Amino acid sequence: MARTSPAQQHYQRTLAAMAAATAAPGSVVTGSAYDLMCAKLITDRQRLKQIQSIQRKIEVKRELLPEYQSWIDGALSAGSGAQDTVLTTVFVWHIDVGDFARALQIAQYVLHHKLKLPDQYNRDTATLLLDEIPDAFIQGADIPGVDAIGILKQVEQLTTGADAPDQARAKLYKALGYACIAGIGEEDLTPEQLPIAEEALQHLQRALDLFNGIGVKKDIERLERRIKKATPA
């Protein structure tokens, strides 16, 4: 699909806003504009299904996502909570490619209106957020310009009160602990670093409380030793 012009993007945003605004909450978005976007989504999903490499799938999703941004903008600006398969699918794609800021912007709308994810994802939105975004940081994702702590705290805020497996929520606090530790390094702590180290310890202990097998016991022991060494007698 050719890259759309600013005028085409504006037109697509307008169509999306109209489609989203005219659909009643709890119903399904309809209309010719939505049908066209669904047809595009089907074609793009078929293309992705033919690719075996996970890395290549991510690259293709990254190429495709700009073509959906105008639709997303229109839906978020005027939507009343009708089910939108295009929106919920590309929400997950944003997580897949590491565009967490945009994913969380969409997630706020999806969670507020209790939209369901497409069946192939087998999880609700809160659980998916708790599983996927923290895990990316735990696995060492280093995304230029991304504030890991800020992103993870947005996940915490959006999922507070949601019913999700303890193992998934434990990932969030493990990732928060690791993000705090990344900010203070592995050298001896300075007095100024103590509050961050203590916050990291709280997150790791919370992760362990939620799921004993989360794998942070050694991290907690090391951090406790570092904090003790740096704390004035």
Side-chain angles (χ1 to χ4, degrees), residues 40-166:
K40 170 178 167 48
L41 182 63
I42 290 170
T43 299
D44 290 342
R45 285 177 58 187
Q46 288 173 340
R47 178 183 173 189
L48 289 164
K49 191 174 182 179
Q50 294 170 357
I51 300 170
Q52 297 186 60
S53 165
I54 299 298
Q55 189 58 47
R56 179 59 184 151
K57 284 181 189 284
I58 291 172
E59 292 170 2
V60 171
K61 286 176 182 177
R62 192 173 284 119
E63 293 171 8
L64 293 171
L65 279 172
E67 300 166 6
Y68 290 92
Q69 297 309 313
S70 295
W71 181 267
I72 295 169
D73 289 340
L76 296 185
S77 67
S80 58
Q83 189 66 41
D84 182 338
T85 299
V86 175
L87 185 70
T88 53
T89 300
V90 298
F91 153 62
V92 181
W93 288 6
H94 281 84
I95 296 177
D96 293 339
V97 305
D99 189 352
F100 301 139
R102 184 61 156 168
L104 291 173
Q105 183 184 22
I106 302 169
Q108 187 172 2
Y109 178 89
V110 171
L111 286 165
H112 177 73
H113 293 291
K114 298 181 174 60
L115 303 189
K116 294 181 180 180
L117 299 185
D119 291 342
Q120 69 264 30
Y121 294 113
N122 299 316
R123 285 171 288 180
D124 60 23
T125 301
T127 302
L128 186 137
L129 289 173
L130 290 165
D131 267 334
E132 299 298 332
I133 295 181
D135 194 56
F137 289 114
I138 291 170
Q139 298 304 322
D142 184 14
I143 305 169
V146 170
D147 172 17
I149 294 176
I151 290 292
L152 291 165
K153 287 192 173 181
Q154 285 186 60
V155 173
E156 181 183 32
Q157 181 182 17
L158 285 172
T159 60
T160 295
D163 182 23
D166 289 341

